[in-house]
């Protein structure tokens, strides 16, 4: 998917693909709260509540216009079923 122009996936920007953030992830609620706050503020991303690493928001990635293929947690282009993700 590197640099490939694709349509956005058919899901809200607030909801990451299950292959990138599973529903049973122990920090899911905190991650989604931080992501939602970054989206609302128009920020490029947020600090992951568990690791402290900077994570790009779906809004930033959507504005970029292409998928980089690096497995971003909030990639707005991923739409394959979770079982087909690498």
């Amino acid at each position: 998917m590197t640099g490939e122009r694709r349509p956005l996936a058919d899901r809200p920007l607030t909801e990451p693909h299950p292959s990138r953030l599973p529903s049973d992830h122990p920090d899911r609620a905190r991650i989604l709260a931080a992501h939602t706050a970054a989206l609302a503020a128009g920020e490029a991303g947020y600090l992951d509540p568990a690791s402290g690493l900077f994570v790009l928001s779906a809004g930033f990635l959507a504005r970029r216009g292409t998928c980089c293929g690096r497995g971003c947690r909030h990639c707005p282009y991923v739409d394959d079923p979770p079982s087909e993700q690498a």
Side-chain angles (χ1 to χ4, degrees):
M1 282 199 263
T2 304
E4 180 182 338
R5 291 209 176 267
R6 309 174 52 154
L8 294 177
D10 187 23
R11 66 174 186 282
L13 291 180
T14 55
E15 186 59 36
H17 192 274
S19 69
R20 304 294 172 90
L21 185 63
S23 60
D24 61 349
H25 189 287
D27 292 314
R28 182 178 170 85
R30 294 188 322 152
I31 288 167
L32 291 179
H35 181 248
T36 299
L39 284 174
E43 296 173 351
Y46 62 93
L47 293 179
D48 182 275
S51 69
L53 297 174
F54 189 76
V55 179
L56 295 172
S57 74
F60 173 84
L61 296 168
R63 287 189 299 274
R64 189 168 61 190
T66 60
C67 176
C68 67
R70 293 187 179 150
C72 298
R73 177 184 283 164
H74 299 286
C75 181
Y77 303 100
V78 177
D79 58 5
D80 298 330
S83 61
E84 295 180 16
Q85 291 295 307

